[in-house]
Amino acid sequence: MHQKALLPNETEKTSPSKKIQRRSHRLNFGNVSRRRGESNFVLAFERAYLREAQTSSRADMRYREVPVSGFGVADLVWISWKTDDGGHAVASEHAKAHLPHITAFEMKIKDWAGGLAQAARYRFFAHRSFLVIPEMQVALALKMRDTFVSAGVGLIAFDSTTGEFQVAIEGESGSPLSARAHKNAIERLRLK
């Protein structure tokens, strides 16, 4: 498996993550229902990614269904800060002015091409963005590798029955395309 590459670069010595928190902004939309199949797919990936993240040396938070004005609603947003020996968040190479590293995920069990467009918009506020699709659809999506690369979006193959995932395309990792959108996302999540 290649999960470790998903996590932010760890160049500093940091302490183990104390606690991973989860918040959902789904209630902001009132009574919105989603098809159960995709909802189960999202939850299964969240659990699988959480298992991997708990082995890292960061403070993390995760959010589901995050609306960022003008950029859509991300299925899962993972926020991380490096920590010092006392477990306090510290600035890293990704975190100018102590802003956290954001990874956004769009998950699709169908219409992966539409999901790619959504994940590309997340690069405006996130350091990394991934499209997560069922393992059986990856071969078809890989035919569009150049589109993923030019959009700066990674591709993850996920098997929801085993809970295993593999990075098929790394995608771009760097500063969000819009510092303003990143700041708006931070404010939206009440992290600042």
Side-chain angles (χ1 to χ4, degrees), residues 52-71:
E52 178 66 26
Q54 286 180 330
T55 64
S56 70
S57 300
R58 298 178 336 270
D60 296 297
M61 293 180 77
R62 68 191 196 272
Y63 294 81
R64 273 189 275 141
E65 298 183 14
V66 177
V68 178
S69 182
F71 302 101

Side-chain angles (χ1 to χ4, degrees), residues 5 28 41-42 47 50 57 62 72 87 89 108 145 162 166 187:
N28 291 344
F41 187 76
V42 170
R47 284 191 298 271
L50 176 62
S57 300
R62 68 191 196 272
K108 291 291 184 190
R145 177 181 290 276
T162 65
Q166 183 172 10
E187 289 171 358

